[in-house]
């Protein structure tokens, strides 16, 4: 059987269990990696890497190795899916992971939860590749560019509603469930609409910056605040001019509508 293998060095428990199970299949079949390579058409190094626990193997490699050893494909698929799920879900704070709770779309209120739901949808769809998801979307007349989708799943790009709807459809999410998640997207994104502010808000920010300028606030920041305040005051005056009873003339409201000039 050749020299003794190195211990499994998996950082993820599920991946370690998959690697250990694959080793058991090889040892039970009494096959060397070279013999497995002949049966699977995969290089011995690829097969050794699949049983090392250091990297997540492709399903095709796991399937070929299992077949060559006359192993149970159903068990192999279950172990691979579990390991692949944890390999894709971002690690939470701390050293231990807990099985993720099933997200309720009616209680979701963050983009992080929406991304978690997308990972779960992909897991239930048997982890299709990003290229496969794009292919399915194209077949239905849509688009899911793999590069864009990768950024969305990592939280490095905004999640557009059209992308979210197409993603759910190609992952096989049922229509009724898609409607609930679409409502969750609407609710989450509505909560991110910035609160409207008026000139008094900018006046307070400008005053605070002026008071702290001796502590390190740069002239550039002060100037930008001054410009923003000036524009806000102009917008307020224009709005007031359209309402009867509001003085439109500058300085008539006694609030000092011209910010101090920086020198």
């Amino acid at each position: 059987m050749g020299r003794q293998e190195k211990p499994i060095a998996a950082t993820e428990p599920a991946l370690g269990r998959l690697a250990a199970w694959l080793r058991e299949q090889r040892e039970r079949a009494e096959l060397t990696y070279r013999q497995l390579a002949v049966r699977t058409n995969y290089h011995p190094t690829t097969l050794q890497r699949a049983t090392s626990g250091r990297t997540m193997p492709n399903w095709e490699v796991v399937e070929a190795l299992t077949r060559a050893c006359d192993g149970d494909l159903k068990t192999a698929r279950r172990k691979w899916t579990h390991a692949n799920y944890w390999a894709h879900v971002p690690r939470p704070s701390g050293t231990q992971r807990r099985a993720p709770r099933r997200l309720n779309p009616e209680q979701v209120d963050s983009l992080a939860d929406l991304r978690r739901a997308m990972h779960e949808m992909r897991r239930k769809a048997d982890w299709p590749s990003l290229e496969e998801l794009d292919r399915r979307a194209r077949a239905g007349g849509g688009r899911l560019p793999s590069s864009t989708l990768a950024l969305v799943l990592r939280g490095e790009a905004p999640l557009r509603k059209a992308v979210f709807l197409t993603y759910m459809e190609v992952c096989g999410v049922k229509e009724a469930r898609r409607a609930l998640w679409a409502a969750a997207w609407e609710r989450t994104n509505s909560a991110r609409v910035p609160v409207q502010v008026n000139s008094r808000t900018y006046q307070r920010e400008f005053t605070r910056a002026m008071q702290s300028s001796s502590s390190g606030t740069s002239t550039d920041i002060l100037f930008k605040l001054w410009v923003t305040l000036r524009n806000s005051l102009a917008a307020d005056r224009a709005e007031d001019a359209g309402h009867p009873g509001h003085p439109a003339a500058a300085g008539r409201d006694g609030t000092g509508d011209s910010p101090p000039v920086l020198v």
Side-chain angles (χ1 to χ4, degrees):
M1 294 297 292
R3 62 185 179 183
Q4 187 175 4
E5 291 187 87
K6 294 181 180 179
I8 294 174
T11 57
E12 189 59 63
L15 181 56
R17 288 192 290 270
L18 172 64
W21 186 83
L22 290 174
R23 286 190 178 187
E24 290 175 4
Q25 304 311 300
R26 186 185 71 84
E27 292 171 359
R28 180 182 55 79
E30 298 183 348
L31 295 171
T32 66
Y33 285 107
R34 290 187 180 277
Q35 292 170 331
L36 280 175
V38 173
R39 294 191 178 194
T40 62
N41 290 325
Y42 283 103
H43 194 276
T45 302
T46 301
L47 299 170
Q48 285 180 310
R49 191 180 298 117
T51 63
S52 68
R54 290 188 292 271
T55 58
M56 184 66 209
N58 295 329
W59 164 246
E60 291 76 13
V61 175
V62 173
E63 181 183 25
L65 194 154
T66 304
R67 288 184 183 277
C69 296
D70 293 326
D72 182 22
L73 283 177
K74 186 176 181 180
T75 301
R77 188 70 183 188
R78 175 174 53 81
K79 289 181 176 294
W80 179 87
T81 300
H82 192 202
N84 199 40
Y85 173 72
W86 285 116
H88 286 82
V89 174
R91 182 183 294 275
S93 58
T95 58
Q96 293 184 345
R97 279 178 169 169
R98 295 180 180 178
R101 60 181 174 85
R102 187 173 187 266
L103 290 172
N104 183 348
E106 296 179 330
Q107 297 176 351
V108 163
D109 59 0
S110 71
L111 293 179
D113 279 347
L114 288 179
R115 288 196 301 273
R116 278 188 55 203
M118 292 177 73
H119 283 293
E120 180 65 13
M121 293 170 190
R122 190 179 173 198
R123 182 188 71 80
K124 289 183 177 180
D126 231 358
W127 283 110
S129 66
L130 300 185
E131 291 75 14
E132 170 62 17
L133 291 175
D134 188 28
R135 188 193 66 76
R136 295 179 188 178
R138 287 173 181 268
R143 281 295 311 277
L144 274 180
S146 56
S147 57
T148 301
L149 190 55
L151 293 174
V152 169
L153 292 172
R154 292 200 300 266
E156 298 174 5
L159 175 58
R160 307 296 183 190
K161 186 176 182 179
V163 170
F164 190 41
L165 293 177
T166 303
Y167 180 90
M168 289 192 291
E169 185 175 356
V170 299
C171 283
V173 180
K174 294 183 179 180
E175 186 174 357
R177 193 74 174 170
R178 293 204 304 267
L180 292 176
W181 280 113
W185 185 96
E186 294 283 0
R187 184 173 62 254
T188 300
N189 281 267
S190 296
R192 298 177 67 236
V193 175
V195 178
Q196 296 295 324
V197 296
N198 54 31
S199 60
R200 290 189 179 88
T201 303
Y202 291 118
Q203 181 73 60
R204 287 196 299 270
E205 293 298 322
F206 182 81
T207 302
R208 187 180 298 111
M210 287 291 292
Q211 292 172 346
S212 63
S213 60
S214 60
S215 302
T217 303
S218 68
T219 304
D220 181 60
I221 293 176
L222 290 172
F223 179 74
K224 290 179 179 179
L225 280 171
W226 177 77
V227 172
T228 304
L229 176 58
R230 182 189 62 186
N231 295 339
S232 178
L233 286 167
D236 285 353
R237 285 199 303 270
E239 182 179 357
D240 289 343
H243 296 278
H246 285 276
R252 202 173 291 176
D253 59 358
T255 60
D257 58 357
S258 296
V261 178
L262 298 179
V263 294

